[in-house]
Amino acid sequence: MKQDEAIRLIGLAVKGDPAVRAVFLKGAHARGEQDVYSDVDLYCLVHSEGLTDFLARRISHMESYKPLIFWSEANFVGPQIVGVFEDGLHFDLYTVTEESLKQIEQILVLHDPEGCLANYKAESFPMSDAEITRLLSGFTFSLLEFETAYLRGDLLWAHRLGSHLAADLMTVLRHVIDPFTAQLGIKRLHRKLSPQQLDELTGALNGLGPDALPSVVQKLVDLAAALIAELTERLSENWNQRFFDFMVKRIYALS
């Protein structure tokens, strides 16, 4: 696959950089879940004193594979180049130091002559009770906004709100069925669902067109109620069950 060739060539380039101490992968390639559509998350652990100079050489290293047709900078877990090559491959190059390295997610070590990563122990990345409560509270308030938009006849905005509702709910569902990687949200959620769960969600999402909105949102409400019942003991004191029950009745009144 093109991803393998990119990892090989860019890996060779960064391994030869004097600032680089170790090179490793995260994401699908580290978990062994990659496919022909996967992007690449390549990390370079560099000497703190060589960080600035290394950052200036990143584009050159990346173009050891092919010319970039797009790139931008970000800083999620450290300085990052988000790149797209002329063959369409999405490749993210992250730069971390020993001080900024976070032991989150599984890694696949490609180069570590100093043994910098020998004691790396991947931590899970679940969602906290407060985060789950925040998502479900947002879901409830979006029901209020959906009701208003639908009754006003603003079906375009109501459709968009329906999509928001589905996204929040699927993130909570990810937490329930796969808590150790809950922060991945919807990404690759389809691999974690049972056939019945996938059919139910797909059916609901297929009906998110304006004409079917009330009934589809009611299905999402049913799923939310089931999840809330399962999560009751984990929801924080900020959870407002009364407001949720109030909105459930109003959404069903739209039929």
Side-chain angles (χ1 to χ4, degrees):
M1 294 191 294
K2 59 188 178 184
Q3 292 93 331
D4 297 327
E5 183 67 0
I7 291 169
R8 185 182 72 83
L9 293 174
I10 297 172
L12 284 173
V14 295
K15 287 176 190 177
D17 191 293
V20 172
R21 304 176 65 188
V23 182
F24 58 96
L25 293 165
K26 282 191 176 185
H29 286 84
R31 297 190 300 269
E33 298 176 352
Q34 71 271 23
D35 56 30
V36 296
Y37 308 106
S38 298
D39 59 358
V40 178
D41 297 316
L42 185 74
Y43 284 70
C44 290
L45 175 64
V46 304
H47 294 283
S48 298
E49 60 272 20
L51 175 60
T52 300
D53 288 342
F54 176 77
L55 295 179
R57 295 190 288 266
R58 290 175 297 171
I59 298 300
S60 176
H61 289 326
M62 291 182 72
E63 292 193 325
S64 298
Y65 171 59
K66 288 181 184 294
L68 288 162
I69 61 169
F70 166 84
W71 67 270
S72 65
E73 294 189 74
N75 199 320
F76 178 53
V77 296
Q80 173 189 356
I81 293 291
V82 180
V84 180
F85 292 102
E86 60 182 9
D87 60 1
L89 175 61
H90 170 194
F91 196 108
D92 291 327
L93 178 62
Y94 296 84
T95 306
V96 295
T97 63
E98 192 171 16
E99 294 75 23
S100 66
L101 174 63
K102 296 182 179 179
Q103 297 190 24
I104 299 176
E105 296 186 67
Q106 182 177 341
I107 65 172
L108 178 63
V109 178
L110 303 179
H111 175 70
D112 187 17
E114 301 177 41
C116 299
L117 303 170
N119 296 320
Y120 185 100
K121 293 182 180 179
E123 299 176 358
S124 60
F125 44 111
M127 298 184 71
S128 68
D129 295 353
E131 288 172 316
I132 293 300
T133 303
R134 178 182 55 77
L135 275 172
L136 289 172
S137 297
F139 178 91
T140 305
F141 194 81
S142 291
L143 289 176
L144 177 66
E145 292 190 300
F146 170 82
E147 178 196 28
T148 301
Y150 183 77
L151 291 175
R152 184 181 287 132
D154 188 352
L155 297 185
L156 296 180
W157 179 230
H159 164 73
R160 180 58 173 163
L161 288 166
S163 298
H164 285 314
L165 289 165
D168 284 347
L169 206 55
M170 286 189 286
T171 302
V172 176
L173 181 59
R174 176 62 171 262
H175 165 77
V176 171
I177 64 178
D178 186 27
F180 294 107
T181 61
Q183 291 184 37
L184 288 178
I186 303 171
K187 192 173 184 180
R188 291 191 174 86
L189 174 63
H190 69 286
R191 295 183 177 179
K192 305 293 182 178
L193 299 173
S194 68
Q196 179 180 351
Q197 289 172 320
L198 184 58
D199 285 346
E200 289 177 355
L201 268 178
T202 302
L205 295 175
N206 280 338
L208 272 178
D211 290 339
L213 277 176
S215 61
V216 170
V217 171
Q218 287 162 5
K219 290 180 182 178
L220 294 177
V221 165
D222 288 341
L223 178 55
L227 289 173
I228 289 167
E230 188 171 348
L231 291 167
T232 297
E233 294 183 358
R234 288 210 53 192
L235 297 178
S236 74
E237 60 183 14
N238 293 324
W239 170 241
N240 191 334
Q241 183 69 40
R242 181 183 179 187
F243 183 33
F244 176 77
D245 294 339
F246 173 80
M247 286 312 309
V248 169
K249 292 179 181 178
R250 294 180 72 91
I251 293 299
Y252 270 99
L254 297 176
S255 299

